[in-house]
Amino acid sequence: MTEKTALTPDTHTTPPARFSHGVRKGNILQVAGQVGFLPHVEGRAPTPAGPTLREQTVQTLENVRSVLEAGGAGWDDVMMIRVYLTDTGHFAEMNELYDAYFEQQGLKEVPAARTTVYVGLPAGLLIEIDALAVLG
């Protein structure tokens, strides 16, 4: 049986409860929901990248990438991305940011994606993204 490995990149804080930023088992890597917090600084509480959807979306995607890399994966290994927005008015802007980000990544094929509205994020956070990757 393949070992299950929990992942917390150096750029991330230790989760506040018993969960992991990502888990890899065999060639499957699940990235837990990431938000737009800036990279971790010892002694400082998690801080959003900024108040705008642009700042938070770019940082959130970079946080997902950090977990992917900690598990030995990259964007080309991602099969599915789920995006959670707190405002239906953000769909168009998020799609533009998403498209621009993945164009910069030079992906051969973009992953499947799903976007939904979710109002349960902590105050000030506008977006959360999780991803499922299959390596090799």
Side-chain angles (χ1 to χ4, degrees):
M1 185 167 270
T2 307
E3 287 285 319
K4 184 167 70 170
T5 304
L7 306 167
T8 297
D10 293 338
T11 55
H12 288 54
T13 60
T14 300
R18 292 190 49 86
F19 63 85
S20 302
H21 287 288
V23 174
R24 180 172 174 179
K25 184 169 182 169
N27 69 337
I28 305 291
L29 173 72
Q30 176 65 54
V31 177
Q34 300 295 302
V35 295
F37 287 142
L38 292 169
H40 174 65
V41 173
E42 192 64 39
R44 187 178 76 191
T47 306
T52 69
L53 183 66
R54 173 176 296 281
E55 293 163 313
Q56 289 189 28
T57 299
V58 171
Q59 186 63 54
T60 301
L61 288 164
E62 286 299 300
N63 291 343
V64 171
R65 185 184 57 75
S66 292
V67 179
L68 289 168
E69 289 177 355
W75 285 117
D76 278 320
D77 298 306
V78 174
M79 301 296 294
M80 180 67 180
I81 292 177
R82 285 173 292 272
V83 178
Y84 306 91
L85 297 172
T86 59
D87 185 334
T88 57
H90 289 160
F91 271 92
E93 182 181 4
M94 191 285 300
N95 284 337
E96 288 176 19
L97 295 165
Y98 181 94
D99 287 348
Y101 180 87
F102 283 111
E103 186 174 317
Q104 291 174 350
Q105 301 305 307
L107 292 184
K108 296 173 196 155
E109 297 292 335
V110 295
R114 176 183 194 281
T115 303
T116 190
V117 174
Y118 173 71
V119 295
L121 293 178
L125 293 176
L126 305 173
I127 187 167
E128 180 177 325
I129 299 174
D130 70 54
L132 176 66
V134 178
L135 290 75

